[in-house]
Amino acid sequence: MNKIIKTANKEAAQVLAWGEARGIETCFSRAEKLKPCPIGESGACCKVCHMGPCRLVGKNAEEEGRGICGATLPVIAARNLARMVAAGTACHGDHGRDMVFTLLAVADGETKDFKIKDVKKLYRVAGIIGVEFEGRPVNDVAKDVAVKFMEDFGRQRGEINYIKRAPKKTQERWRKWGIVPRGIDREVAETLDRTTMGMDADADSILNHALKASLANGWGGSMISTDITDILFGTPNPIKAEASLGIFKDDEVNIVIHGHEPSLAEMIVDVVYEKEMIDYAKSKGAKGINLGGMCCTANEVMMRHGIPTAGGFTNQELGIMTGLIEAMVVDVQCIMPSLTRLAKKFHTKVITTSEKVRMPGAMHIAFDEHRAKEIAREIVKTAIDNFPNRRLEGSRVTERFPVIAGFSHEYIEYMQGGRWRASFRPLNDAIMAGRIRGVVGMAGCDNPRVPSTGMHKFLAIELIKNDVLVVSTGCSSASCGTAGFLTPEMALENAGPGLREVCEAIGIPPILHLGACVDNTRILTIASAMAAEGGLSDEIGGMPAVGIAPEFITEKAISIGCYFAASGVPVIFGGESPVEASKEVTKIMTEVWFERFMGALHFEPDPEKILAMALDYIDQARDRLKLRKYEPGKFGAERVLMDMAARRVLERAAAPHAGVGGINES
Ligand code: MSK
């Protein structure tokens, strides 16, 4: 019998095999044992009241099936999807809210540990949301920005602030279909209300509101989070880092920061470089302190500091199984509840830091932005104290892969023309000329139910071979990073001729790491800027662009997929559809949403079909825009892209001391 391949990542497979030989349970072994319930998996199970759960199965379930209350299959499937969106929006909304609280604490002078690092970005954001900034003290501007964003959470009527950031035509579509969010919390609450027993009984209406709740995530909670994180901790520029389960060091104290929120992580990054801490580590027999990340907290600190990542979601247990981690410090989201049980077999301390994430068996050191550094020091000391407890067992990995991360909206704009001519013109021109066929945003989790990371790897390679520029976030970036795909050399070795030329001219990888899950919003603002630049579509819909989440897991991913679809991007999720049972719901999410918004949400388990569907969407968009037909190696005339050398000459002449841009050494 063939052995089941559980992960496509070589280093992960090595650690997993080591653990399996010792009978250690992981998400991979649990996925093997626990088969999904086919009724729940396809969206046909209703458990919103206690007359059920009602399971609508059978040949004519779509037409004739009814729950005890009379709910039809499309209504049940639509409710299930809408509730996933609400949960995802709540998650990212809470993340955004916490960032607003931190900005407010800084503005009010209540914390000395955080500062506003990117004043330019603060002013840019202030300008967008209508906060006066000229000639005012920075903290006053920051306070007004924080207060205005806070209103976005609780607003009962009107529109959230960032709606105006989308192209006019995109906004018009939203207004026409009544899906402009009023307040982030309000749309989450209404989704739960509408989907209780005896409420909205029209699948289309339920799904329309799900889109509204998703926009409260994309153009609300997540976008607020990305922007405040940039304001507080700096807008990313390209930076070198490493990715692999092999980032841990035998002779140093290894600390992993895992989850999503960057505030405490930023403090830990500061503290591990303090001499007092390094000396303390040495006093315990270690040579130093080695900080690594996991999941999206990793993406946040990699983007700004070049901190290495040990990988995405499915690597968290495997990291502990290296036997080298003194402390796994977790904040929020995507933390496996199994960690504490597994950690007991090794010496790793799991440290929870959020009141929202408590785990039996973990040590809890609550984060408080008012005493951030003090708490970070306590955590790092706890890890150092644990170093002498390290045992010898564990599966050591040595291979590591270089990564270039740090592609923010601002840097992508800058790289196309330098400080003085920053724009999206060259990217639009390259697409119009057929050098770049289109753009794919690849996002979402890695999943133990498929060979984990394998779908990301397959699609990333095939897309760039087809001259498609890939922008990645979340665990998609981790999957590409731990495969060695996030380097400029990837363009030379694998990209199609047009994309390779563009990447070589600018000096960028063909897969651009844009950040964490919340940073999918960078894709929305980039698409909006491309629409404003002209020559392609004048709205987000209709661009030769597709979103793919090849191995999605979370409700957050569903919310993200919906806000992309509502914004005008066709989205393809890998795996079985959570609403497969209902043909009507599937039709609404694909055909109806495409008609209304030019976006769609598909589910497709076969990676070859995902690729074909994505390329087809891109080519159809090119046709509609009357762009040159894509043919590999044949391009139309376009402006010459400025390469790095030409850009530096221009900048030196204009501003001899300018320091923006270029790739930072980690
Ligand atoms: S961490 S949401 S497994 S991308 Fe953002 Fe990864 Fe998915 Fe969590």
Side-chain angles (χ1 to χ4, degrees):
M1 205 172 92
N2 282 343
K3 196 173 167 350
I4 301 169
I5 299 168
K6 295 172 185 162
T7 169
N9 180 269
K10 197 159 68 64
E11 290 67 38
Q14 178 205 308
V15 180
L16 184 60
W18 179 92
E20 282 180 343
R22 286 156 186 80
I24 296 176
E25 179 196 293
T26 61
C27 61
F28 296 97
S29 58
R30 291 189 293 273
E32 223 178 343
K33 261 195 240 158
L34 275 173
K35 296 296 164 211
C37 158
I39 303 165
E41 189 195 23
S42 65
C45 176
C46 179
K47 50 186 185 66
V48 300
C49 86
H50 205 53
M51 289 187 286
C54 296
R55 301 176 305 164
L56 271 53
V57 289
K59 255 217 309 281
N60 299 324
E62 176 94 18
E63 297 77 24
E64 291 164 17
R66 296 284 182 272
I68 293 176
C69 71
T72 61
L73 180 54
V75 167
I76 288 170
R79 288 203 293 221
N80 286 334
L81 191 95
R83 286 189 163 220
M84 292 175 92
V85 171
T89 299
C91 245
H92 283 154
D94 247 10
H95 177 165
R97 190 192 331 263
D98 285 343
M99 295 312 299
V100 176
F101 279 132
T102 304
L103 183 63
L104 201 56
V106 173
D108 283 339
E110 287 173 7
T111 169
K112 297 275 165 288
D113 298 332
F114 296 111
K115 288 197 177 49
I116 290 166
K117 277 209 183 133
D118 193 340
V119 176
K120 214 167 135 196
K121 177 113 189 196
L122 172 70
Y123 290 168
R124 192 173 183 173
V125 166
I128 296 167
I129 63 173
V131 167
E132 189 53 57
F133 59 90
E134 301 273 7
R136 297 182 66 204
V138 170
N139 278 3
D140 289 1
V141 178
K143 176 153 187 164
D144 288 353
V145 165
V147 168
K148 242 187 148 175
F149 278 144
M150 195 65 79
E151 287 165 7
D152 274 342
F153 292 89
R155 185 180 297 100
Q156 303 304 313
R157 294 202 179 95
E159 297 183 350
I160 57 172
N161 277 297
Y162 269 160
I163 287 302
K164 53 172 101 56
R165 212 169 175 180
K168 283 258 153 358
K169 235 173 146 180
T170 307
Q171 294 181 41
E172 280 162 20
R173 286 183 189 271
W174 293 339
R175 294 206 175 89
K176 178 176 174 196
W177 292 101
I179 60 167
V180 177
R182 296 154 292 189
I184 298 159
D185 296 347
R186 166 138 202 205
E187 305 314 345
V188 170
E190 188 172 316
T191 310
L192 295 178
D193 176 21
R194 268 178 188 252
T195 53
T196 50
M197 199 272 281
M199 289 292 288
D200 202 342
D202 178 332
D204 188 21
S205 163
I206 293 168
L207 290 170
N208 207 49
H209 187 79
L211 291 184
K212 195 169 182 171
S214 76
L215 290 177
N217 177 359
W219 298 84
S222 283
M223 200 174 278
I224 290 171
S225 176
T226 294
D227 281 349
I228 296 184
T229 305
D230 285 354
I231 289 168
L232 286 173
F233 309 131
T235 301
N237 282 320
I239 190 163
K240 286 182 185 169
E242 286 183 323
S244 170
L245 277 168
I247 61 165
F248 306 118
K249 296 187 179 159
D250 270 312
D251 49 6
E252 295 193 12
V253 174
N254 293 300
I255 303 173
V256 171
I257 37 185
H258 170 25
H260 281 78
E261 284 185 4
S263 302
L264 172 62
E266 280 283 328
M267 282 299 107
I268 293 179
V269 172
D270 275 3
V271 164
V272 294
Y273 292 112
E274 288 179 349
K275 186 175 179 307
E276 186 199 338
M277 284 296 157
I278 295 169
D279 287 347
Y280 189 58
K282 286 181 179 163
S283 77
K284 298 285 177 181
K287 279 200 175 148
I289 308 168
N290 178 41
L291 185 64
M294 192 74 80
C295 280
C296 278
T297 304
N299 289 323
E300 297 280 6
V301 290
M302 174 184 270
M303 292 283 282
R304 296 183 179 84
H305 305 284
I307 300 295
T309 180
F313 179 75
T314 56
N315 271 12
Q316 56 190 284
E317 292 171 313
L318 305 182
I320 291 179
M321 285 158 60
T322 64
L324 291 172
I325 300 177
E326 272 60 53
M328 185 172 272
V329 186
V330 303
D331 49 75
V332 296
Q333 303 170 21
C334 300
I335 321 291
M336 286 189 196
S338 59
L339 290 183
T340 45
R341 187 157 161 239
L342 175 67
K344 274 200 198 121
K345 296 187 193 297
F346 299 85
H347 76 302
T348 305
K349 278 194 193 308
V350 177
I351 304 176
T352 52
T353 59
S354 166
E355 284 310 320
K356 287 176 269 189
V357 183
R358 291 284 199 150
M359 296 166 76
M363 175 182 247
H364 188 71
I365 303 178
F367 175 64
D368 173 358
E369 65 263 29
H370 302 94
R371 301 189 298 117
K373 207 159 250 180
E374 189 188 323
I375 290 162
R377 285 195 188 105
E378 187 185 342
I379 287 171
V380 172
K381 273 195 161 173
T382 305
I384 295 171
D385 286 335
N386 197 24
F387 182 76
N389 299 327
R390 194 185 288 176
R391 303 170 208 150
L392 286 176
E393 71 265 44
S395 175
R396 305 291 195 266
V397 172
T398 48
E399 191 94 42
R400 306 171 194 191
F401 301 95
V403 165
I404 304 293
F407 291 91
S408 54
H409 172 121
E410 289 77 358
Y411 185 81
I412 293 174
E413 197 171 32
Y414 163 82
M415 80 188 187
Q416 297 179 77
R419 182 187 289 257
W420 311 107
R421 297 198 343 202
S423 84
F424 280 86
R425 190 70 257 154
L427 178 56
N428 282 19
D429 284 348
I431 293 173
M432 288 160 72
R435 253 187 188 79
I436 295 179
R437 186 171 180 176
V439 181
V440 161
M442 222 166 74
C445 329
D446 50 316
N447 189 332
R449 289 211 177 273
V450 292
S452 168
T453 74
M455 301 266 277
H456 294 278
K457 286 169 67 176
F458 169 79
L459 286 161
I461 290 272
E462 291 304 317
L463 287 165
I464 64 170
K465 258 191 212 163
N466 278 282
D467 289 305
V468 174
L469 177 69
V470 175
V471 291
S472 75
T473 62
C475 291
S476 189
S477 291
S479 301
C480 291
T482 52
F485 286 4
L486 298 181
T487 64
E489 291 70 41
M490 263 307 269
L492 294 177
E493 290 154 19
N494 295 289
L499 178 63
R500 184 167 61 229
E501 215 176 87
V502 173
C503 291
E504 279 178 330
I506 310 179
I508 53 164
I511 305 167
L512 303 180
H513 184 343
L514 261 55
C517 308
V518 288
D519 296 329
N520 280 308
T521 59
R522 297 193 201 274
I523 303 176
L524 296 178
T525 58
I526 288 167
S528 301
M530 287 168 72
E533 193 65 55
L536 297 172
S537 176
D538 55 357
E539 59 179 321
I540 298 177
M543 290 281 183
V546 172
I548 305 180
E551 301 181 22
F552 94 97
I553 299 174
T554 63
E555 292 159 318
K556 289 179 289 175
I558 296 287
S559 179
I560 293 168
C562 285
Y563 74 62
F564 271 104
S567 300
V569 182
V571 176
I572 311 161
F573 273 41
E576 303 298 341
S577 165
V579 290
E580 200 184 1
S582 171
K583 288 190 202 74
E584 185 185 329
V585 167
T586 304
K587 188 176 170 190
I588 293 169
M589 295 190 324
T590 51
E591 295 168 34
V592 176
W593 285 359
F594 194 78
E595 242 169 62
R596 292 176 187 166
F597 308 108
M598 301 202 78
L601 185 56
H602 297 269
F603 293 87
E604 172 53 62
D606 180 343
E608 302 269 2
K609 287 186 184 159
I610 295 176
L611 176 68
M613 203 189 292
L615 294 177
D616 191 43
Y617 262 122
I618 286 172
D619 290 343
Q620 280 182 34
R622 295 188 66 89
D623 275 358
R624 271 194 305 272
L625 292 169
K626 305 207 177 345
L627 301 181
R628 186 190 168 87
K629 194 172 167 45
Y630 166 76
E631 284 177 279
K634 292 190 183 161
F635 322 121
E638 66 185 301
R639 291 174 202 209
V640 178
L641 286 163
M642 288 191 86
D643 65 11
M644 275 290 193
R647 195 185 316 151
R648 280 193 195 113
V649 169
L650 177 70
E651 285 184 5
R652 260 185 233 123
H657 304 298
V660 176
I663 292 173
N664 303 324
E665 295 293 333
S666 58

